[in-house]
Amino acid sequence: MYDVLVIGGGAAGFYAAIHIAEKRPNTKIAILERGKDVLNKVKISGGGRCNVTHAEFNPADLSKNYPRGEKELLGPFHTYASGDTVGFFEERGVALKIEEDGRMFPVSNSSQTIIDCFISEADRLGIQIKTLCAVAGIEQIDEEGIKKWKVAVGESFMYCKKLILATGSNPKMWKYIEELGHTIVSPVPSLFTFNIKDERISEIPGVATHAEVKVIPKKNFGKKSSKTKSDVSGLFSEGPLLVTHWGMSGPAILKLSAWGARSLEAYNYQFKIQVNWVPDYHQNGLLELFLKVKQVEKKTVLRTKVLDIPKRLWANLVKAAGIDDTITWPEVSKPQLTSLAEQLTAGIFQVNGKSTFKEEFVTAGGVDLKEINFKTYQSKMLPNLYFAGEIINVDAITGGFNFQNAWTGGYIAANGVVDELNANTY
């Protein structure tokens, strides 16, 4: 009989186990991982550097980075947030650094530093790590009026007083939880890039610039979608935009994909976006600028980039506006300049599908938040059952926020478990 079984050898699972063992020495704890290695997502995060958290230290502002979970996480972030995460790692000799965009990484620039820290702590605290332990079922049993857990692993069973589920976006585990009576919000992808085939961007992969992007609402969903109509009005994002071989990526697109995860899934990922490549301008203001340039500039429009955008992007948008590469500013017509201003501030692009953002696959969906007590991360329906990490219906934009959800959930679940173990005699 274990005091605590943690199913899932990822960020949230390790964080919870370590904090339980620290607060309550001699607690019998095991982490069960279905794969042969633990902490795989930590390893590949941030291109192998591990984007540990984000330098947003105000709980209210921090919670605004969660399309699902903003309201529910506000309280937990007042208990445990980014500053606490920094303290945890620094106390264990892992220094973190803040990059220009607020993302935080280990100074070593290696996710292995974080993995080594967790493995070392688990070893020091006597936490058992059991790999290749695929869970085949979960059952709550009653022994003399005390609720305990029976976990099927292969052909055998393991028993525990407290069970923490930290398995991330695992459909099989969601099925088991649903069978226990919980509601699972159906998962859809979040954090994805847009597939776009368009002459304006097809030959310039690697070009990056600051832009505004918004989704244009559809009147109809089309025959393929069986989903109900979803409102995308107000679905807007601003930030760095990266042109790729398959379309568009970068923080501006990823934020849009996160906030619009369910709406865009309802569109079957077939929709249009409007891009303003020069957010400091609107169409009429930009036309006024062009008309002033026309009065003084003698070179060709193509060769005179009057805005702070990449040269190759400017050239493609000039061409898209119907301005030949030999046309000079004195020769260019007002309708052509109007068209150029429109291409720059309100260009329409058709999105046909999505692609996963590197290896950082995130889903919107999971255990219904209404069924979780966020003071302890314990199930409101089943005593002695706790959740942490992406298994619940919480997801974030890119930038270290998904890991912070794991750290906060793991820490608070650990406290909940410790308080319960201390209060009960078995």
Side-chain angles (χ1 to χ4, degrees):
M1 168 74 76
Y2 285 87
D3 293 308
V4 184
L5 284 178
V6 178
I7 303 179
F14 266 85
Y15 215 67
I18 288 167
H19 279 97
I20 293 168
E22 278 209 318
K23 292 173 184 291
R24 197 173 187 273
N26 302 317
T27 302
K28 191 176 181 184
I29 307 167
I31 297 173
L32 310 184
E33 167 58 43
R34 64 177 175 170
K36 64 176 182 177
D37 298 308
V38 293
L39 299 162
N40 282 323
K41 200 162 188 179
V42 170
K43 189 173 185 66
I44 61 178
S45 160
R49 297 195 297 146
C50 190
N51 185 183
V52 174
T53 187
H54 198 94
E56 178 50 79
F57 302 107
N58 179 290
D61 292 334
L62 179 60
S63 68
K64 288 182 171 64
N65 294 284
Y66 296 82
R68 266 72 45 188
E70 177 180 352
K71 180 182 71 172
E72 290 82 3
L73 288 174
L74 184 56
F77 283 156
H78 275 285
T79 299
Y80 198 91
S82 306
D84 302 293
T85 300
V86 174
F88 172 87
F89 286 107
E90 290 191 341
E91 285 167 13
R92 290 157 181 78
V94 179
L96 303 181
K97 61 178 179 177
I98 305 173
E99 300 205 336
E100 192 175 337
D101 59 3
R103 292 182 302 161
M104 298 191 73
F105 293 88
V107 170
S108 66
N109 273 330
S110 172
S111 57
Q112 194 60 45
T113 304
I114 305 299
I115 294 170
D116 291 345
C117 171
F118 283 147
I119 298 294
S120 171
E121 284 294 277
D123 184 57
R124 178 179 72 85
L125 294 164
I127 299 165
Q128 298 176 32
I129 301 172
K130 297 180 177 291
T131 55
L132 298 174
C133 278
V135 171
I138 302 169
E139 180 187 353
Q140 191 164 56
I141 57 175
D142 192 314
E143 286 187 356
E144 298 178 357
I146 297 173
K147 301 285 188 182
K148 297 182 180 179
W149 290 97
K150 179 180 179 183
V151 179
V153 181
E155 299 296 318
S156 60
F157 296 97
M158 298 176 74
Y159 297 86
C160 65
K161 300 170 184 175
K162 308 292 178 184
L163 182 64
I164 299 177
L165 301 183
T167 50
S169 303
N170 184 329
K172 186 178 284 187
M173 194 57 60
W174 280 330
K175 180 175 175 288
Y176 295 151
I177 297 167
E178 204 165 31
E179 288 170 353
L180 289 169
H182 266 286
T183 304
I184 302 298
V185 177
S186 60
V188 297
S190 181
L191 285 190
F192 50 84
T193 61
F194 295 172
N195 295 349
I196 300 170
K197 287 186 177 180
D198 192 291
E199 288 185 355
R200 290 168 290 178
I201 62 171
S202 61
E203 300 299 323
I204 56 171
V207 164
T209 190
H210 194 87
E212 288 178 350
V213 187
K214 69 178 180 180
V215 176
I216 299 174
K218 284 184 181 181
K219 290 182 180 177
N220 300 301
F221 269 65
K223 295 178 181 178
K224 289 185 179 179
S225 177
S226 60
K227 309 294 188 298
T228 56
K229 187 170 181 179
S230 184
D231 184 18
V232 296
S233 58
L235 199 49
F236 166 90
S237 175
E238 181 179 349
L241 188 155
L242 173 68
V243 177
T244 67
H245 288 285
W246 58 89
M248 293 182 187
S249 183
I253 298 297
L254 295 169
K255 280 192 284 184
L256 205 62
S257 74
W259 286 103
R262 294 208 170 272
S263 300
L264 300 180
E265 193 261 350
Y267 275 170
N268 285 332
Y269 308 106
Q270 309 287 320
F271 56 94
K272 291 179 180 179
I273 57 172
Q274 185 180 79
V275 180
N276 184 345
W277 301 99
V278 282
D280 290 339
Y281 293 92
H282 54 77
Q283 189 172 337
N284 291 337
L286 194 54
L287 178 59
E288 288 178 19
L289 172 66
F290 288 159
L291 291 173
K292 289 177 183 176
V293 173
K294 178 178 168 64
Q295 300 302 314
V296 297
E297 184 57 65
K298 305 300 181 188
K299 295 178 183 176
T300 63
V301 177
L302 182 69
R303 293 180 60 191
T304 313
K305 181 170 71 74
V306 297
L307 298 165
D308 185 22
I309 65 170
K311 188 183 296 183
R312 290 192 292 162
L313 177 61
W314 168 265
N316 281 11
L317 297 181
V318 167
K319 181 180 177 183
I323 302 172
D324 188 85
D325 57 7
T326 62
I327 293 178
T328 63
W329 281 94
E331 296 169 336
V332 70
S333 68
K334 185 176 179 180
Q336 286 175 315
L337 290 178
T338 300
S339 178
L340 180 57
E342 183 178 359
Q343 287 289 346
L344 283 156
T345 60
I348 306 297
F349 293 83
Q350 175 68 47
V351 177
N352 291 305
K354 61 175 177 56
S355 297
T356 302
F357 173 56
K358 297 181 180 176
E359 303 92 345
E360 299 185 31
F361 184 72
V362 174
T363 56
V367 181
D368 194 321
L369 304 184
K370 296 186 187 72
E371 298 173 358
I372 300 166
N373 177 354
F374 279 91
K375 291 182 179 178
T376 60
Y377 279 69
Q378 185 171 193
S379 164
K380 289 181 179 179
M381 304 168 68
L382 297 161
N384 305 325
L385 176 64
Y386 298 77
F387 304 104
E390 286 181 37
I391 192 170
I392 67 176
N393 185 27
V394 168
D395 63 286
I397 64 173
T398 185
F401 300 107
N402 281 299
F403 270 134
Q404 187 55 52
N405 170 49
W407 313 137
T408 296
Y411 175 84
I412 295 177
N415 282 354
V417 166
V418 168
D419 288 346
E420 284 277 312
L421 286 173
N422 288 339
N424 292 295
T425 54
Y426 291 89

